[in-house]
Amino acid sequence: LEALRGALHAPLPPVAYVHAQRWQAGITRAPLGLEPPCASWEEYGLFACGDWAAKEAKVEEAALSGLAAAQAVGRAHDASQRMRSLLSTAPPPGGPDAAAALEERARASWGEWRCAAYSPETPAGRFRESRWWDAPGREAAAEERCLVTAGRATLWPEGGGPPVEIAKGDWVTFRRGFQCTWVVNEDIAKRYAYFDAEGAELACE
């Protein structure tokens, strides 16, 4: 479990789902020592299982147990897909000229955020994405658009799925509801602004 905590870059939350499966076998399998024997953290798309031999096992019990595990995996997969759809690293529409004009505006008038690279001495470089849409004055905000002006970071979306790398020069759009864990690999800076559902820029900090 310590290895899982390290892979998540965060403490494990409470167990969300418990699954015990009994196997009928002619050999003895040593349990993995997990308590409970099978657990998942669906928020992170993470599952851990252990098994053991049993002298008696009902087919119906095994089938229902396996079905419950498959359903949990399916829910986690669907949740991770929905979460990933709330993040975009596509450049602004309109081609290079439009992107250049937007970059000039971003550097001149958008807010700036900086963070030092993660290390044991600077643990602030590993954190969970804030719920920026809940902040006062951002009630109408549908997305945060950013230009990364320095550094590099890895974003681990909540619910699992592959991490997303962002670096200097990238445009990133965080839509309302997106949650992830940031791990800043190199001192990072970004220019950012908030936009409503119609694409109009909002005057908020």
Side-chain angles (χ1 to χ4, degrees), residues 69-95:
Q71 290 172 338
V73 172
R75 288 195 301 271
H77 173 74
D78 292 345
S80 70
Q81 294 294 101
R82 288 193 298 271
M83 187 63 70
R84 182 62 181 82
S85 71
L86 298 177
L87 173 71
S88 172
T89 54

Side-chain angles (χ1 to χ4, degrees):
L1 293 181
E2 286 301 324
L4 299 181
R5 290 187 184 94
L8 288 175
H9 304 286
L12 288 177
V15 174
Y17 165 73
V18 177
H19 164 59
Q21 186 167 5
R22 298 191 303 170
W23 296 88
Q24 184 173 1
I27 60 174
T28 299
R29 300 183 181 184
L32 298 180
L34 298 177
E35 183 58 42
C38 181
S40 75
W41 297 265
E42 294 186 28
E43 179 182 356
Y44 294 91
L46 182 66
F47 299 83
C49 302
D51 64 353
W52 62 94
K55 292 182 178 179
E56 295 181 2
K58 294 181 180 180
V59 174
E60 294 83 0
E61 287 181 345
L64 291 174
S65 186
L67 178 61
Q71 290 172 338
V73 172
R75 288 195 301 271
H77 173 74
D78 292 345
S80 70
Q81 294 294 101
R82 288 193 298 271
M83 187 63 70
R84 182 62 181 82
S85 71
L86 298 177
L87 173 71
S88 172
T89 54
D97 290 343
L102 185 59
E103 178 176 350
E104 183 177 353
R105 190 173 95 209
R107 290 181 180 275
S109 61
W110 287 8
E112 185 176 33
W113 173 85
R114 293 179 173 272
C115 184
Y118 171 76
S119 73
E121 292 74 31
T122 55
R126 185 177 70 184
F127 59 92
R128 192 164 185 249
E129 173 74 6
S130 68
R131 295 172 59 89
W132 46 261
W133 54 89
D134 286 340
R138 299 178 187 168
E139 293 81 4
E143 59 187 34
E144 176 189 333
R145 300 179 189 176
C146 309
L147 170 64
V148 181
T149 56
R152 182 174 59 88
T154 304
L155 311 182
W156 295 81
E158 184 176 287
V164 179
E165 299 282 342
I166 61 173
K168 180 180 178 180
D170 288 344
W171 289 94
V172 187
T173 299
F174 300 97
R175 298 184 179 90
R176 175 186 285 259
F178 179 74
Q179 291 280 263
C180 72
T181 295
W182 283 68
V183 179
V184 179
N185 304 305
E186 299 173 6
D187 292 3
I188 197 168
K190 69 176 183 179
R191 293 284 181 167
Y192 66 96
Y194 299 100
F195 293 77
D196 66 17
E198 304 302 320
E201 186 175 339
L202 301 175
C204 58
E205 292 297 328

